Amino acid sequence: MADQSPRLTTAFGNPISDNQNSITAGPRGPVLMQDYHLIEKMAHFNRERIPERVVHAKGYGAYGTFRLTKSLSAYTRAKVLTEVGKEVPMVARFSTVGGESGSADTARDPRGFALKFYTEEGNWDLVGNNTPIFFVRDAIKFSDFIRTQKRDPRTHLKPHWRRWDFWSLSPEAIHQVMILYSDRGTPKSARFMNGYGSHTFSLWNERGERHWVKFHFHTKQGIQNFSAEEADRIAGTDPDYSAADLSSAIEQGDFPKWKVSVQIMPELDADTYRINPFDLTKVWPHGDYPLIEIGEMELNRNPENYFAEIEQSAFEPSNVVPGIGFSPDKMLQNRILSYSDAHRYRLGVNYHQIPVNQARNAKVQTYHRDGAMRTDGNHGAQVDYQPNSFGGPVEDPAFAEPPLRIRGDAARYGWPNDDEDLYGQPRQLWSKVLNDGERERLVKNIVTSMGDSPRHIQERMIAHWYKVHPDFGRGVAEGLGIDTRQAAAE
Ligand code: NDP
Ligand code: HEM
């Protein structure tokens, strides 16, 4: 070897003498089939791509720690939420939703905020977004909604009228649509946005008591967003802007941090609270259930290899630890099943063995065996059925979640109910939270996006904005050149 460089080998360690010239019959070829090195290179390359995530395909991530500052032991037995001061290692992945894996980071889209905490009681995944709510509240509508964000089957283009058609026929979406078209729809990067568990989850303690909980991650860097014009420009000039922003901050030792808080609701409040607390299109107003600060999350280490550690990461709401549970939220219920199913398709049945997905601080003892690409020794000689009399792992009733009271007749229950206020929280956002400039930009962003919609879709949508607030409806109608008196009367 000419220098101290490591020796090049085949995938099986056989030294390679020449990586520049294939074996040919004479200097002008043809190529001999015996050039196994050439074939290995070609065949591996042909198989390099794995399916991208069906949603949230474009992303980036980093490792970090979560440190608890306030114990939630009154509510939960989960060590990650009760052992004050302990640092729990974690990994985060941030993403846009609708674009392909090469799409621009600055697209107007919710941002995924997926977290995996490697706790000593197993992995706990919180797979949230940078918004506290969502567009739909029944998973039966999820794939339809996502299609409106993706490409038209005929043209393979992404006209916006498809989304406005769906949203105008799905009024539960308008709260999230307002956040999407507000300044928060184009965050600068993960460092400058909040994250939310979004769903209602549950906490349960050893006394068998259950509380409902929502998780909030507030950026300590402050919220920073791009204007619509900046976001569009950067999409063209620097489509990986946000990924680069996070990794260079970490590289420079400027570790981003988030304040972690919870809202907690006693189990029985859910029966009488004026809002359905399991409706993913609504927040719990802070005035009703105040934020309780419980800790801090910091990101402080970049991955060494994007594909190995971020592309192959697999987050799943079904990963919970004793003391943290689910809720009747119809979306969450479906997500509990959907993610591991998607991972088995995208990464294979043994995806739990990929290092970033391993329960690195808990011992894994299952009766699963075999499957494609099993690489961990397959539990060796250990007995592979249960019950058994050979010392195999056994279940422990001490980890049983308290029973959940459920009642009601099985049926497909339509929303909205007659007495439901679909427009109240969007109105709060318009009137109480946004300032004049933010309202103006919200209207402008919507008008720009609705420009390609047929008139009947524009009118149907404007009727919703009027119900949120007359100024809002009027602003959008005027922007689209629609007679405001007629629109108001719809
Ligand atoms: P609050 O006044 O207590 O909360 C308003 C919240 O709105 C803020 O705490 C902040 O949440 C968020 N917010 C601030 N500026 C913006 C903005 N420009 N765009 C979007 N969100 C912003 O009132 P309520 O709790 O009664 O909520 C009122 C409305 O605020 C809700 O209807 C909802 O639309 C919105 N909201 C509420 C949240 C909640 O969990 N209660 C969370 C986010 C929005 P944060 O501190 O999380 O950034
Ligand atoms: C990714 C399904 C709603 C946040 C995904 C993936 C699927 C999926 C199949 C790809 C998983 C993969 O291949 O790794 C669903 C379904 C939903 C739903 C069926 C509704 C029923 C939501 C909601 C949120 C959310 C409400 C946030 C509150 C995410 C995030 C990712 C993701 C952050 C990317 C995770 C990562 O970075 O790997 N979703 N989703 N999803 N979803 Fe959902």
Side-chain angles (χ1 to χ4, degrees):
M1 279 187 297
D3 54 29
Q4 294 306 304
S5 305
R7 176 182 288 153
L8 180 69
T9 71
T10 65
F12 301 96
N14 312 115
I16 299 294
S17 62
D18 186 344
N19 192 38
Q20 313 302 320
N21 303 291
S22 45
I23 305 173
T24 54
R28 296 191 174 192
V31 178
L32 298 194
M33 271 191 78
Q34 71 173 50
D35 193 344
Y36 59 83
H37 177 52
L38 169 70
I39 309 256
E40 182 185 288
K41 280 178 83 171
M42 179 199 74
H44 192 275
F45 180 75
N46 286 352
R47 290 161 180 79
E48 272 176 18
R49 295 280 88 82
I50 61 170
E52 64 177 34
R53 289 166 173 82
V54 63
V55 281
H56 296 262
K58 175 69 189 294
Y60 52 98
Y63 296 97
T65 48
F66 167 65
R67 198 168 50 84
L68 191 74
T69 51
K70 181 182 168 58
S71 171
L72 290 178
S73 57
Y75 308 106
T76 179
R77 57 179 292 173
K79 291 188 176 169
V80 62
L81 297 179
T82 52
E83 294 184 342
V84 170
K86 187 165 176 189
E87 289 203 338
V88 177
M90 43 88 47
V91 63
R93 182 175 179 274
F94 307 103
S95 48
T96 49
V97 180
E100 296 87 2
S101 111
S103 57
D105 285 346
T106 58
R108 183 170 300 284
D109 212 355
R111 299 295 187 270
F113 199 99
L115 310 174
K116 186 187 291 296
F117 302 92
Y118 301 103
T119 91
E120 63 189 275
E121 298 179 295
N123 288 353
W124 173 39
D125 292 3
L126 203 52
V127 198
N129 277 339
N130 69 331
T131 62
I133 51 171
F134 199 68
F135 300 92
V136 292
R137 51 192 178 180
D138 188 323
I140 206 162
K141 294 183 76 168
F142 178 77
S143 54
D144 297 282
F145 159 65
I146 289 296
R147 293 226 167 83
T148 71
Q149 311 294 299
K150 300 244 177 207
R151 294 184 182 275
D152 179 281
R154 185 174 67 88
T155 60
H156 204 54
L157 302 175
K158 286 180 124 177
H160 281 202
W161 60 261
R162 288 157 50 80
R163 64 184 64 178
W164 291 110
D165 188 22
F166 180 88
W167 287 334
S168 64
L169 294 166
S170 307
E172 73 272 27
I174 62 173
H175 194 191
Q176 172 82 328
V177 173
M178 283 177 70
I179 293 183
L180 178 62
Y181 282 86
S182 78
D183 294 348
R184 289 194 181 191
T186 48
K188 267 196 181 161
S189 109
R191 289 198 295 148
F192 304 111
M193 66 190 196
N194 294 340
Y196 304 86
S198 307
H199 297 282
T200 295
F201 294 89
S202 55
L203 298 179
W204 53 275
N205 59 23
E206 268 147 344
R207 294 187 299 280
E209 296 159 339
R210 178 183 283 104
H211 287 76
W212 307 116
V213 63
K214 281 196 186 279
F215 293 95
H216 300 251
F217 295 73
H218 286 103
T219 170
K220 290 198 166 177
Q221 291 67 240
I223 299 269
Q224 286 187 31
N225 304 307
F226 282 127
S227 69
E229 295 74 21
E230 284 169 327
D232 284 348
R233 184 175 52 76
I234 292 165
T237 56
D238 191 0
D240 305 320
Y241 177 94
S242 308
D245 174 83
L246 178 67
S247 62
S248 62
I250 292 175
E251 204 67 39
Q252 288 158 26
D254 180 13
F255 301 144
K257 297 180 176 60
W258 285 261
K259 182 173 88 175
V260 185
S261 306
V262 291
Q263 287 176 290
I264 290 185
M265 178 188 289
E267 181 174 12
L268 295 183
D269 276 22
D271 295 346
T272 51
Y273 187 41
R274 63 193 161 83
I275 297 164
N276 172 0
F278 311 121
D279 175 351
L280 185 56
T281 63
K282 297 197 174 71
V283 296
W284 296 358
H286 296 129
D288 293 348
Y289 294 96
L291 292 171
I292 304 166
E293 183 175 344
I294 60 162
E296 183 181 86
M297 181 178 89
E298 174 186 278
L299 296 182
N300 48 31
R301 183 162 63 89
N302 281 320
E304 284 293 310
N305 183 286
Y306 172 79
F307 181 84
E309 298 162 72
I310 302 300
E311 189 60 21
Q312 292 199 109
S313 61
F315 297 86
E316 44 203 317
S318 49
N319 281 348
V320 287
V321 293
I324 302 178
F326 309 121
S327 80
D329 179 332
K330 299 182 191 193
M331 293 283 283
L332 175 60
Q333 292 276 318
N334 189 257
R335 292 184 71 205
I336 294 164
L337 304 177
S338 175
Y339 286 66
S340 47
D341 181 49
H343 299 147
R344 288 182 193 106
Y345 161 69
R346 186 168 69 83
L347 301 165
V349 66
N350 283 313
Y351 69 95
H352 58 282
Q353 293 179 49
I354 298 170
V356 67
N357 300 326
Q358 285 172 11
R360 56 183 68 168
N361 289 326
K363 192 155 187 204
V364 175
Q365 309 194 93
T366 79
Y367 286 95
H368 306 318
R369 295 294 187 275
D370 310 349
M373 302 304 294
R374 187 94 210 187
T375 60
D376 68 348
N378 207 19
H379 297 284
Q382 188 181 287
V383 61
D384 63 353
Y385 59 87
Q386 205 213 5
N388 64 70
S389 41
F390 299 98
V394 290
E395 58 270 41
D396 183 350
F399 292 108
E401 189 171 336
L404 178 67
R405 300 170 314 120
I406 296 179
R407 60 178 187 283
D409 301 331
R412 296 183 188 273
Y413 291 95
W415 275 342
N417 310 320
D418 289 344
D419 57 353
E420 188 188 351
D421 180 9
L422 269 179
Y423 300 94
Q425 292 200 351
R427 192 173 304 121
Q428 287 290 307
L429 183 60
W430 173 268
S431 313
K432 189 175 94 170
V433 178
L434 301 183
N435 62 31
D436 286 346
E438 288 169 332
R439 280 192 284 259
E440 231 170 76
R441 292 190 291 278
L442 170 61
V443 168
K444 185 163 162 249
N445 295 338
I446 289 175
V447 168
T448 308
S449 173
M450 283 177 69
D452 74 358
S453 294
R455 188 47 66 106
H456 70 279
I457 293 178
Q458 292 177 342
E459 286 171 357
R460 201 161 56 209
M461 200 65 232
I462 287 168
H464 292 304
W465 299 138
Y466 263 103
K467 286 180 192 155
V468 173
H469 198 282
D471 293 346
F472 190 11
R474 201 175 306 115
V476 177
E478 280 173 5
L480 289 168
I482 289 178
D483 183 331
T484 52
R485 278 164 311 177
Q486 191 191 328
E490 294 267 338

